Amino acid sequence: MKRAFPLLIVAALLPVVLADVTNKVPVGTYLYAKPANPEENEGRLTVRFATPGERLVVAWGRKWRKDRKTREGTVETERESFKPYLGKPIDDGAGAIFWNLPVDRYDIVVIDAKTMKIHEGVLLMRDGDPGQPIDQFLAEVRDTLSPRQDRIGGWEGFFDHKRFERLESNGVRAGVFLQQMRLGTALAESGAVLQGCIHSVDVIWVERAKVEGVGWQVVDRQQIYRAEIPPRVFFEYHHVPELSGVRVGGTPREIGPITLP
């Protein structure tokens, strides 16, 4: 039987790991860095929160982001270390610790699939200009990339619901933080219907299209989170500046406790 191509993608992405918290939270294992020789990196970061919780905490370095460094000429082992890093929960989720981080500045993303909240401090554009008409650009990106009923369009068609949370731009390019959900039917490799809802949290980089009437087009993407979880709603979203630009060097670094809204 011929199976739709997006369903094959879903099947390939279903392997999960369980976060070390009371209520296990499955996440896509391929998203996070697994360097071949982690001991070569001496950086260590501890992030502490004002309250415990069942959180997945991600640290994303700036140096090797796709909007800054090309992957051309790199090998798979190198690219593995360019990915975001997944923290290990400590103190009943009141903190997370990262060992063996490369020296860099890191932005933190905190995802709680129990309370359905997401907190992030991501620098979306290296050369963003706060004087740009951000609200206008965000509306244009939403119009261009969201699923449409009146014409062929949109982006990443597997996800039938999208919410564009925040945008930074220099006027020509933009970085966008967004959430996506698949509310339609999705199948496991066995052919069984998945009972949960597939959620994705992404940063995409877009640029103004050169074709009239097209608006903006995606030039790159970094997926931060992907999981099949029961809630069929978006995460409650919060931008938290304290989670932005944490410098990690050769000595252990600790931040917090941070109060999450």
Side-chain angles (χ1 to χ4, degrees):
M1 178 182 298
K2 184 176 180 181
R3 183 175 295 170
F5 180 69
L7 301 184
L8 295 178
I9 295 177
V10 177
L13 299 181
L14 286 178
V16 298
V17 294
L18 297 180
D20 187 16
V21 292
T22 305
N23 182 23
K24 308 302 183 183
V25 181
V27 297
T29 60
Y30 61 95
L31 298 181
Y32 306 114
K34 294 181 180 178
N37 300 297
E39 67 282 354
E40 294 179 354
N41 299 317
E42 298 180 354
R44 190 177 80 186
L45 171 64
T46 303
V47 182
R48 297 194 181 277
F49 305 107
T51 59
E54 298 172 6
R55 305 179 176 106
L56 182 146
V57 185
V58 178
W60 186 21
R62 294 181 178 179
K63 181 178 180 181
W64 285 100
R65 288 190 190 168
K66 295 174 182 177
D67 67 325
R68 303 186 182 193
K69 299 287 187 178
T70 178
R71 288 347 187 216
E72 185 176 350
T74 62
V75 297
E76 186 174 351
T77 53
E78 291 177 301
R79 293 192 295 273
E80 192 63 38
S81 65
F82 302 162
K83 296 178 179 180
Y85 286 75
L86 182 63
K88 177 178 175 57
I90 57 175
D91 300 330
D92 294 324
I97 189 167
F98 300 83
W99 286 281
N100 305 121
L101 290 178
V103 173
D104 201 348
R105 280 189 180 272
Y106 288 85
D107 296 329
I108 310 300
V109 181
V110 183
I111 299 170
D112 189 327
K114 183 176 181 180
T115 63
M116 289 302 292
K117 291 185 178 182
I118 183 168
H119 303 83
E120 59 89 9
V122 177
L123 180 70
L124 297 172
M125 284 286 292
R126 184 178 187 176
D127 57 349
D129 177 6
Q132 296 295 324
I134 299 303
D135 291 342
Q136 174 190 327
F137 289 170
L138 188 59
E140 292 173 357
V141 169
R142 183 182 297 113
D143 181 66
T144 304
L145 302 182
S146 293
R148 297 286 297 266
Q149 300 297 324
D150 58 336
R151 61 172 172 81
I152 296 175
W155 167 79
E156 182 66 293
F158 173 76
F159 292 103
D160 48 25
H161 286 70
K162 305 177 191 295
R163 195 160 78 182
F164 298 83
E165 303 288 5
R166 188 168 64 87
L167 176 146
E168 296 173 8
S169 177
N170 60 11
V172 178
R173 286 201 171 196
V176 185
F177 193 98
L178 75 147
Q179 300 186 58
Q180 303 187 87
M181 287 192 299
R182 170 75 177 189
L183 293 183
T185 302
L187 304 180
E189 187 174 9
S190 65
V193 176
L194 297 177
Q195 298 303 310
C197 175
I198 300 176
H199 286 252
S200 180
V201 175
D202 303 84
V203 170
I204 59 173
W205 293 278
V206 298
E207 66 180 11
R208 286 191 174 279
K210 297 178 175 61
V211 179
E212 185 177 353
V214 174
W216 297 75
Q217 60 187 8
V218 176
V219 294
D220 232 325
R221 173 197 189 188
Q222 179 68 57
Q223 197 171 36
I224 304 294
Y225 173 87
R226 182 181 180 119
E228 179 205 345
I229 56 179
R232 300 175 66 83
V233 295
F234 286 114
F235 289 94
E236 179 184 314
Y237 168 82
H238 299 274
H239 175 62
V240 182
E242 293 168 275
L243 299 174
S244 181
V246 182
R247 183 182 292 278
V248 175
T251 57
R253 177 74 191 277
E254 181 171 320
I255 63 169
I258 297 171
T259 300
L260 299 176

